[in-house]
């Protein structure tokens, strides 16, 4: 696991932007969700998810529990919100506090396994847990933290031999997405309908004060996620002010040179993270362009145009006169969770893609000088890509040193519009003809999104739908009520962090089928 | 471990008394206590208490901690109050919550051992623990619960590889005792001075909204403890309204027959426990008498006189015409934590003692009819005790069936004033002449108190001081800043509950040396 720390970075603040952010009001929507049933861990042979129903949940009755007892409550759907517990006692007056341990899980594994068994590389503090000591009963507790969960394991650490407790639970959800705007996909294909529903729900759960990457983890605004969330949002909830707020959040504090951070914190105040990713910085351009096209909000475009150009400028040193993007060692660009992947070609593609998008912004701004400058740069970058990476014989983009053929490389070359349409369609056709063992594929839903979009862009509609059904449909078949940060069809327990419990099971970058369906008329 | 449950008991409420309780205002006193040093578990050979200082604590700097790190903070003295933590981060912006586990201990063992290793019979919920997940830093947390502790173990469950935390701690103490009224004992004997200081501090820590038995456990008003606390309070803090409030609390809800419960809860409202102890019920009489003598509060005496008589009446069925107190099976009277003890003689003594005290109350109330009635009853009870339990040959009170000679038996016969002064002095002299193996002794500080008072009452001053120095002095030598619920000189780890961690190390019934010193002019 690699972490960037850049202790010497100093950020400059645009106070006008910070003032604008304060004026953007984000409406929050709430719903009350009650438990649906009591479940218990079961042998794998009995239940694919690892849990089976053992009792119903009657909201009027609640759950009666003895000391040392444990139950797993299933709320029936993924919830993001505040949990309240109404706790009463039965028997003698409570002569000792009631002590409860609550463990929240987006998935069964988080409530089946003990958090003590966690062995991952990310902070164990993301595992959602509360230890409650209640001195006086009855009491209704409104838990202060927001949780993302479907399952809640409750362990009565102890009461006393003289009394039992009764619990009534509820969750008040929180989202800045108006659920009333969720639309059913107009198709008879039930799997596509379900994929569409789950992708909209995924987006909704991640829409909070900002577009979060995941409501369980990292609960934070990342640029790479924002870009895709914004697209899905335009196709569904239309909370455009939330996109605007997020764009200003990135622009309000940048490095001296104007680079935006890969992600920002908004509490206790706006703080950009000291992590920078070349692709994420460049995607500020694309996100601003999409926003402007959706809203025609000229004021925002004018405000943030300089920030968009700054992303070009801060990364320009990495573009050699030959047109090669020189990629430094280390965690410089994200692209995908993919150790064997040679990222060079994909990065080249993202530069070309972003330069083209910036050129469009410059055109809207009637900044002809920049349009001309970019025309030259794009040509050089494309020329380099075609001469150095495009392999005529194979009809594919091939890493010159390792001879690696990778889906991310083809994807970003296609999305960036390198070559003519025939070349790009040939590339995809040749790629589809290869066996899995011959190529480096996609790992994250984020990379799958780009691959599918490249296919759709070039008209490979049937193949795109097949992949969506296999990949996002695979999560649905594995019980997903929201789409996951990580999904390896060949190993559903895989985690890039060394422990599946820490994976986010409601993750923004997986929410795009609802966008792809509508953008490309799949129904 | 035996627990009483009496699910069918119905209590009747005296609303006038409840209204009076509401009008009694108890002033609370507060002090700020800061940590004194950082300590760590050490091999026994290094430190008798198990802890050694490893660093100082600088209030301006606080404590810097890395993920997974653990420290034990020593506040230097027993504290009862609310703890606050000012937590800041160092390094990159916090990219994961800070998760902390806090374990509070009155004694080193509670912070050296893991709470998971607890094997006692009382509820594990008494072990004082908090699990904090802090999403946004910096934050100052005011913990909601009140804790009783000197030591605080802090474990950083996790932060993230990108940041550390810094902690500043403080405790705002709570007590209804005015510390300014603590008086130093006028003696050159430093051990007696220290015993006196610790006994006053023990009382102070237990003085809250009510006289609690212990601020860690059970945090509750027990009649047996109240009686001794009230005596110590008259000799020191003089918070007489607190005694009055507690007397009304017992009287405000009784059984249909008027019996007071052994203890009451005051939150969420007054609730008498369903535990009844014959000796504790009878001690309502004594506590009221002491209160009236101290305050001349005629209104309270008049109000509560009926409740005092009721304790006589509800237990009268157990007094046979012969004068024998018939003792049922089970946990009927407390006397002492003492399995082998035959409680019969001590109980007989407590009946005689209480009847005599009630006679004094009746005299104050000019209730001559009851005075006469009690004169007869006392005579019958005393006659039975002398003929059945007093062994002329040994000059001691001896259990007729088991031939057991027990300190509690002699103690309560002496305190109740059975026989003439010569007989009682002889009994104590004969008792003191016996070897430990020949007798059943005292176990709890509560029983030690009564034994020492019996010795002082009959003029065995030197012997009484010797026992105080051995017993309460023994706790001081074991590092006590407040006196313990349980102290076995031959095994300081002993617990009547099966695990020393659950013992209360600041316990009301151990606070009486400050009373004994002043009542009997020991200085």
């Amino acid at each position: 696991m690699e972490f960037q720390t850049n202790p010497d970075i100093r950020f400059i603040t645009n106070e006008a932007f910070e003032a604008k952010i304060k004026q953007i009001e984000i409406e929050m929507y709430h719903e009350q969700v009650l438990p649906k049933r009591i479940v218990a861990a079961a042998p794998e042979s009995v239940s694919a998810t690892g849990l089976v129903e053992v009792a119903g949940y009657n909201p009027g009755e609640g759950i009666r529990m003895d000391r040392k007892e444990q139950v797993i409550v299933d709320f029936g759907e993924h919830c993001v919100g505040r949990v309240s517990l109404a706790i009463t006692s039965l028997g003698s007056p409570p002569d000792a506090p009631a002590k409860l341990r609550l463990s929240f899980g987006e998935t069964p594994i988080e409530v089946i396994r003990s958090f003590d068994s966690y062995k991952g590389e990310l902070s164990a503090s993301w595992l959602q847990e509360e230890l409650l000591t209640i001195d006086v009963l009855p009491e209704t507790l409104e838990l202060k933290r927001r949780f993302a969960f479907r399952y809640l394991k409750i362990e009565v650490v102890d009461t006393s031999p003289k009394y039992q407790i009764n619990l009534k639970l509820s969750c008040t959800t929180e989202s800045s997405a108006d659920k009333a705007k969720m639309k059913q996909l107009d198709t008879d294909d039930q799997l596509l309908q379900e994929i569409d529903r789950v992708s909209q729900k995924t987006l909704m759960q991640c829409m909070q004060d900002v577009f979060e990457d995941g409501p369980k983890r990292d609960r934070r605004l990342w640029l790479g996620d924002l870009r895709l969330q914004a697209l899905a949002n335009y196709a569904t909830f239309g909370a455009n002010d939330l996109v605007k707020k997020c764009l200003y959040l990135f622009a309000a504090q940048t490095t001296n040179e104007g680079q935006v951070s890969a992600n920002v914190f908004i509490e206790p105040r706006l703080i950009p993270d000291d992590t920078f990713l070349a692709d994420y910085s460049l995607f500020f351009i694309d996100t601003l362009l999409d926003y402007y096209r959706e809203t025609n909000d000229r004021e925002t475009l004018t405000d943030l145009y300089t920030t968009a150009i700054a992303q070009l400028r801060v990364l320009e040193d990495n573009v050699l006169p030959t047109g090669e993007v020189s990629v430094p060692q280390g965690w410089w660009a994200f692209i995908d969770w993919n150790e064997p992947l040679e990222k060079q070609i994909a990065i080249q593609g993202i530069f070309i893609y972003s330069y083209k998008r910036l050129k469009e912004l410059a055109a809207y701004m009637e900044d002809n000088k920049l349009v001309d400058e970019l025309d030259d740069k794009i040509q050089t970058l494309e020329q380099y890509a075609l001469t150095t990476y495009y392999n005529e014989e194979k009809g594919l983009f091939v890493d010159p040193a390792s001879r690696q053929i990778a889906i991310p490389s083809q994807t970003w070359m296609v999305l960036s519009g390198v070559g003519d349409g025939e070349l790009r369609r040939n590339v995809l056709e040749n790629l589809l003809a290869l066996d899995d063992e011959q190529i480096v594929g996609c790992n994250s839903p984020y990379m799958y999104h780009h691959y599918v979009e490249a296919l759709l862009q070039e008209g490979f509609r049937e193949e795109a739908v097949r992949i969506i059904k296999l990949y996002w449909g695979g999560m649905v078949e594995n019980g997903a009520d929201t789409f996951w940060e990580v999904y390896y069809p060949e190993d559903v327990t895989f985690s890039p962090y060394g422990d599946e419990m820490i994976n986010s099971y409601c993750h923004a970058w997986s929410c795009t089928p609802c966008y792809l369906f509508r953008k490309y008329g799949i129904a």
Side-chain angles (χ1 to χ4, degrees), chain A:
Chain A
M1 198 78 228
E2 218 178 328
F3 292 92
Q4 278 187 29
T5 57
N6 294 295
D8 300 329
I9 291 279
R10 292 291 166 269
F11 290 92
I12 50 169
T13 300
N14 185 317
E15 283 168 14
F17 289 0
E18 290 208 330
K20 286 202 176 183
I21 292 163
K22 287 206 179 77
Q23 279 163 18
I24 302 170
E25 278 185 24
I26 304 301
E27 188 177 354
M28 297 300 289
Y29 298 86
H30 305 282
E31 250 192 341
Q32 198 188 40
V33 182
L34 299 179
K36 296 296 174 294
R37 62 191 69 83
I38 310 298
V39 292
E44 255 179 63
S45 55
V46 176
S47 154
T49 66
L51 293 172
V52 286
E53 176 166 339
V54 292
Y57 177 85
N58 181 330
E61 283 174 13
I63 310 164
R64 187 169 175 152
M65 294 186 75
D66 219 329
R67 58 195 305 221
K68 322 279 187 193
E69 208 182 330
Q70 174 189 309
V71 298
I72 298 172
V73 180
D74 177 6
F75 279 70
E77 61 179 302
H78 190 276
C79 299
V80 177
R82 316 278 162 171
V83 170
S84 78
L85 300 88
I87 313 167
T88 51
S89 67
L90 304 153
S92 294
D95 58 336
K99 190 168 177 180
L100 308 180
R101 184 185 308 280
L102 310 183
S103 310
F104 296 85
E106 294 185 307
T107 52
I109 195 68
E110 292 158 87
V111 289
I112 292 172
R113 270 177 57 194
S114 151
F115 286 170
D116 289 340
S117 70
Y118 175 66
K119 295 280 176 266
E121 291 158 58
L122 290 188
S123 176
S125 64
W126 289 118
L127 300 172
Q128 304 173 104
E129 187 182 18
E130 291 281 319
L131 191 63
L132 307 173
T133 306
I134 305 137
D135 289 309
V136 178
L137 291 173
E139 174 149 61
T140 297
L141 285 174
E142 313 275 351
L143 301 187
K144 196 182 142 205
R145 293 192 79 213
R146 197 195 71 195
F147 294 99
F149 70 103
R150 172 175 166 173
Y151 304 102
L152 168 54
K153 178 166 66 183
I154 304 170
E155 298 165 82
V156 181
V157 179
D158 217 337
T159 54
S160 98
K162 294 187 66 171
Y163 77 98
Q164 294 184 303
I165 57 168
N166 195 82
L167 283 168
K168 291 179 184 171
L169 302 160
S170 100
C171 175
T172 304
T173 64
E174 296 181 10
S175 170
S176 50
D178 179 1
K179 199 179 173 184
K181 294 190 179 161
M182 274 180 82
K183 293 162 206 137
Q184 192 175 295
L185 193 66
D186 186 16
T187 173
D188 293 335
D189 188 319
Q190 292 206 346
L191 180 57
L192 287 186
Q193 260 194 15
E194 180 63 2
I195 291 170
D196 183 62
R197 183 192 73 76
V198 173
S199 76
Q200 288 187 66
K201 172 145 194 197
T202 304
L203 174 62
M204 181 174 87
Q205 305 295 74
C206 295
M207 285 170 68
Q208 302 293 334
D209 287 336
V210 294
F211 283 99
E212 295 184 2
D213 57 339
K216 177 178 93 173
R217 203 216 83 235
D218 304 329
R219 304 170 63 149
R220 201 190 312 163
L221 175 58
W222 284 84
L223 230 167
D225 301 80
L226 168 63
R227 175 170 154 264
L228 303 189
Q229 283 169 298
L231 293 173
N233 167 65
Y234 302 140
T236 55
F237 302 109
N240 298 347
D241 269 1
L242 191 63
V243 183
K244 175 173 155 184
K245 179 181 175 185
C246 292
L247 284 167
Y248 274 103
L249 282 167
F250 280 108
Q253 287 199 39
T254 64
T255 63
N256 274 324
E257 295 75 32
Q259 186 171 16
V260 297
S261 179
N263 67 87
V264 301
F265 304 90
I266 59 163
E267 293 285 354
R269 60 183 190 288
L270 173 60
I271 302 172
D273 191 23
D274 60 355
T275 298
F276 298 89
L277 297 169
D279 45 355
Y280 279 28
S281 290
L282 289 171
F283 286 147
F284 182 87
I285 297 163
D286 192 33
T287 313
L288 179 59
L289 178 63
D290 288 335
Y291 172 76
Y292 179 66
R293 283 193 176 148
E294 183 70 24
T295 62
N296 284 311
D297 175 354
R298 192 79 195 175
E299 182 185 333
T300 299
L301 172 64
T302 311
D303 274 353
L304 303 184
Y305 180 59
T306 316
T307 309
I309 297 172
Q311 309 318 305
L312 166 79
R313 299 296 176 215
V314 293
L315 294 163
E316 224 161 23
D317 284 352
N318 291 83
V319 183
L320 305 183
T322 56
E324 177 188 0
V325 178
S326 147
V327 176
Q329 289 295 310
W331 196 43
W332 189 68
F334 175 67
I335 311 295
D336 193 11
W337 288 130
N338 206 329
E339 275 305 318
L341 175 65
E342 304 283 357
K343 296 182 174 177
Q344 173 69 55
I345 301 173
I347 290 171
Q348 185 90 15
I350 288 172
F351 269 71
I352 298 166
Y353 176 89
S354 301
Y355 279 28
K356 288 184 176 175
R357 305 288 272 172
L358 184 57
K359 192 182 130 188
E360 293 184 67
L361 276 181
Y364 284 122
M365 292 295 291
E366 294 169 13
D367 181 353
N368 297 328
K369 204 173 145 223
L370 186 59
V371 170
D372 293 344
E373 181 193 334
L374 286 166
D375 267 336
D376 289 347
K377 287 186 193 291
I378 290 162
Q379 203 188 336
T380 316
L381 282 161
E382 287 195 325
Q383 197 53 45
Y384 184 86
L386 285 168
T387 53
T388 312
Y389 301 137
Y390 186 66
N391 182 311
E392 292 273 0
E393 192 190 324
K394 294 186 191 289
L396 287 161
F397 292 90
V398 180
D399 185 78
S402 67
R403 318 300 302 157
Q404 182 183 87
I405 300 164
I407 293 179
S409 310
Q410 319 308 315
T411 294
W412 277 111
M413 283 292 129
V414 169
L415 287 174
S416 69
V418 166
D420 57 16
E422 197 186 335
L423 179 142
R424 295 196 296 270
R425 284 190 294 279
N426 274 334
V427 162
L428 291 174
E429 212 144 305
N430 293 330
L431 182 67
L432 291 164
L434 292 175
D435 292 334
D436 286 352
E437 306 82 63
Q438 297 173 278
I439 55 174
V440 168
C442 308
N443 275 350
S444 62
Y446 174 81
M447 191 60 234
Y448 267 96
H449 159 84
H450 291 105
Y451 179 35
V452 170
E453 178 138 47
L455 290 168
L456 289 167
Q457 177 186 295
E458 301 301 333
F460 292 81
R461 187 188 161 94
E462 201 177 315
E463 190 56 31
V465 171
R466 194 186 67 82
I467 292 173
I468 290 175
K469 284 188 168 182
L470 263 179
Y471 192 69
W472 279 269
M475 287 188 258
V476 165
E477 274 158 31
N478 275 285
D481 183 48
T482 49
F483 286 126
W484 309 345
E485 173 187 24
V486 181
Y487 172 56
Y488 280 23
E490 62 276 25
D491 177 9
V492 293
T493 71
F494 176 80
S495 168
Y497 314 112
D499 194 316
E500 61 181 310
M501 285 207 290
I502 210 75
N503 289 0
S504 163
Y505 291 93
C506 173
H507 215 70
W509 71 17
S510 311
C511 77
T512 57
C514 60
Y515 153 75
L516 295 168
F517 291 157
R518 285 164 181 81
K519 168 88 181 280
Y520 297 97
I522 297 164

